[in-house]
Amino acid sequence: MKRFLRKMQGKRSKKDVPRNEYYENISARLGILQVVLYLSLFAFVILSFFKNTELITYRNFYRFFKDLNASAESVFVPPSESITYPVSNEQSFTLYRKGLAVAGNSTVTVFSTTGRQTISQSISYQNPIAVGAGKYLLVYELGGLQYSLYSSYTQVFTGSCEYPITGAAVSDSGMYAIVSSSDTYTSVVSLYSDNFSLLNKYNKTGYVMDVSINSRGSQLAILTILPENGAFSTELMLCRPGEGTSDAKKTLEGTVGWDCEFMASDDAIAVLHESGVAYYSAKGEQLSTFSFLGKEPLAVDMSRDGVALYLPSAEISKKNMLIVFDKSGKMLYNEGISGEVRQIARSGNSLYWMSNEGVHRLNLKNGSVDFSSCNVFQKRLLAPSEAEALICSPQKAEYIKFTS
């Protein structure tokens, strides 16, 4: 009987719960909003389909799933693993989706993060240069007319210029820029969308030294040196793709600009010039500056994580300085380093450098330094992650693992 009474009491309590008209109205409105959002999504998908019917092809679906498969591979690489590629007179090495891309005179070879070869494409470039970011790997012929774009597993586009190519850049978004010249202008920057269509042409009377596109593809930076009364100044121009006007222009008087690079946050850009390093906001406002004090860097690494420099000491008895800045221009490290530093490369909170004895790693979080002895003759240093370095010779690349 008690069990029956408790059961009936539970039924009465659920039935007798008082109604709240205010919350019932809110619930009804949210239900209507949910239906509207679903209908909007459906309409958007249908509209996109009809507006881009030329992109809805079997080949594009095939590329998408192949590219997805290549991107999903594990990042683990055994410490003893090495990868080989064709030897060439001219070679360019770059990281692409944390794997390795090698551009030679006759072959472009791409490896995944596991060391599996995904591309071996024939080319004929006299001086190949490879740059990789996000969606595409871009390979161009420095001083030549040709360039090509690759996904993780195939060549997706080839192009050519009327005048010799002097530089290029590619964004995580797939947008890319080619620097060449023309009959009228000293330098011309051609900006293309991720679908390989021309968005803008920027004509410059000076020499374009470098270009950079932020990860979202929402801003382009052009670094140009301009002759003025027997001297040089440097102009940093920030542009919005698809628009004819610039967001900002900044002039660095009496110095020659070398490189520029958008930081990972896309709200700052670093400029390396012969006098020092300067950081600017996306609006062209100066955030920080550092002077070389008349010294010339012995090694430099500019990446989306920040800028790293190896500067000679002013005195013979003192150590050369290793200096590291973060994405906003804040100095993270400034210490003397014993021995010769050949190259430096950064990945996140790890900075690697190559000496005559091997590869060193600096942990920027705690300042500790690890070392791995190896042969560095004719090697190129890359930094695929915070735990491993990659050293590339003309024949093969080897991973150097750091455990701590």
Side-chain angles (χ1 to χ4, degrees):
M1 181 62 117
K2 289 182 180 179
R3 186 180 301 172
F4 175 76
L5 290 175
R6 283 198 299 268
K7 186 174 181 180
M8 293 304 295
Q9 186 178 7
K11 287 185 177 181
R12 284 197 301 271
S13 62
K14 292 178 182 178
K15 186 182 295 185
D16 297 339
V17 173
R19 297 178 59 188
N20 189 316
E21 188 174 347
Y22 173 75
Y23 288 110
E24 285 185 354
N25 290 336
I26 291 179
S27 177
R29 290 172 185 172
L30 290 176
I32 294 172
L33 179 61
Q34 185 180 34
V35 173
V36 170
L37 290 175
Y38 279 129
L39 290 174
S40 299
L41 177 61
F42 179 74
F44 173 77
V45 171
I46 295 298
L47 185 63
S48 298
F49 178 85
F50 283 110
K51 280 192 171 183
N52 300 279
T53 52
E54 72 282 357
L55 300 179
I56 313 299
T57 64
Y58 169 79
R59 185 177 182 182
N60 284 344
F61 274 114
Y62 177 76
R63 285 179 176 177
F64 171 77
F65 287 110
K66 285 283 288 183
D67 204 39
L68 185 65
N69 177 65
S71 301
E73 287 198 7
S74 169
V75 298
F76 173 75
V77 179
S80 61
E81 185 170 344
S82 63
I83 50 182
T84 60
Y85 36 78
V87 178
S88 182
N89 292 331
E90 300 289 340
Q91 288 176 313
S92 176
F93 304 95
T94 191
L95 296 173
Y96 176 55
R97 297 188 176 183
K98 295 186 178 181
L100 174 66
V102 184
N105 298 118
S106 58
T107 309
V108 173
T109 313
V110 178
F111 299 90
S112 70
T113 54
T114 61
R116 181 174 66 89
Q117 181 178 299
T118 59
I119 294 178
S120 180
Q121 180 77 40
S122 296
I123 60 171
S124 181
Y125 291 0
Q126 289 301 312
N127 191 7
I129 304 294
V131 288
K135 193 171 184 179
Y136 295 130
L137 167 71
L138 170 63
V139 179
Y140 65 95
E141 186 178 22
L142 183 63
L145 306 177
Q146 306 173 80
Y147 69 90
S148 50
L149 289 154
Y150 304 83
S151 67
S152 295
Y153 72 96
T154 191
Q155 184 184 82
V156 295
F157 184 78
T158 59
S160 63
C161 296
E162 188 178 355
Y163 298 90
I165 300 172
T166 58
V170 63
S171 162
D172 288 351
S173 66
M175 192 176 292
Y176 65 98
I178 303 292
V179 184
S180 60
S181 60
S182 72
D183 287 334
T184 309
Y185 295 95
T186 306
S187 298
V188 176
V189 178
S190 300
L191 182 65
Y192 296 87
S193 73
D194 61 341
N195 291 325
F196 325 117
S197 59
L198 181 65
L199 294 175
N200 294 97
K201 274 198 173 184
Y202 303 92
N203 300 315
K204 311 295 289 185
T205 56
Y207 295 92
V208 172
M209 301 297 290
D210 197 16
V211 291
S212 181
I213 311 168
N214 69 7
S215 62
R216 297 191 302 269
S218 60
Q219 197 168 43
L220 166 73
I222 303 174
L223 193 68
T224 310
I225 57 172
L226 305 168
E228 289 184 352
N229 301 322
F232 288 96
S233 64
T234 298
E235 176 195 80
L236 173 67
M237 185 170 77
L238 301 174
C239 316
R240 194 171 299 276
E243 299 182 8
T245 59
S246 62
D247 289 339
K249 286 184 181 181
K250 187 70 179 180
T251 301
L252 291 73
E253 301 288 350
T255 188
V256 174
W258 291 336
D259 297 289
C260 62
E261 183 75 33
F262 275 104
M263 298 295 101
S265 56
D266 281 353
D267 57 4
I269 183 169
V271 175
L272 176 70
H273 54 92
E274 63 178 352
S275 303
V277 176
Y279 277 73
Y280 296 91
S281 71
K283 296 181 179 179
E285 302 163 340
Q286 185 170 293
L287 302 176
S288 66
T289 184
F290 174 80
S291 175
F292 294 156
L293 299 176
K295 294 175 284 185
E296 183 175 344
L298 301 174
V300 176
D301 179 75
M302 292 185 70
S303 70
R304 294 176 54 77
D305 294 317
V307 180
L309 305 165
Y310 179 59
L311 285 175
S313 172
E315 302 177 20
I316 299 177
S317 59
K318 290 189 176 181
K319 297 178 181 179
N320 294 336
M321 304 301 296
L322 189 63
I323 304 170
V324 184
F325 301 92
D326 69 3
K327 292 175 285 190
S328 64
K330 177 184 176 182
M331 186 179 290
L332 299 177
Y333 190 83
N334 186 3
E335 298 290 340
I337 299 295
S338 299
E340 181 184 357
V341 173
R342 295 185 170 199
Q343 300 172 44
I344 56 178
R346 182 179 176 184
S347 177
N349 290 307
S350 292
L351 179 73
Y352 302 93
W353 70 88
M354 186 184 291
S355 68
N356 292 328
E357 293 76 33
V359 176
H360 308 250
R361 185 192 67 165
L362 166 67
N363 187 327
L364 291 169
K365 289 183 177 180
N366 56 29
S368 64
V369 177
D370 302 310
F371 171 71
S372 178
S373 177
C374 58
N375 180 12
V376 298
F377 179 67
Q378 289 187 335
K379 301 288 179 68
R380 168 73 190 278
L381 175 67
L382 298 175
S385 74
E386 294 185 356
E388 60 188 3
L390 187 60
I391 53 173
C392 306
S393 75
Q395 300 86 17
K396 67 178 182 177
E398 299 173 277
Y399 286 90
I400 308 295
K401 296 283 287 187
F402 292 88
T403 56
S404 61

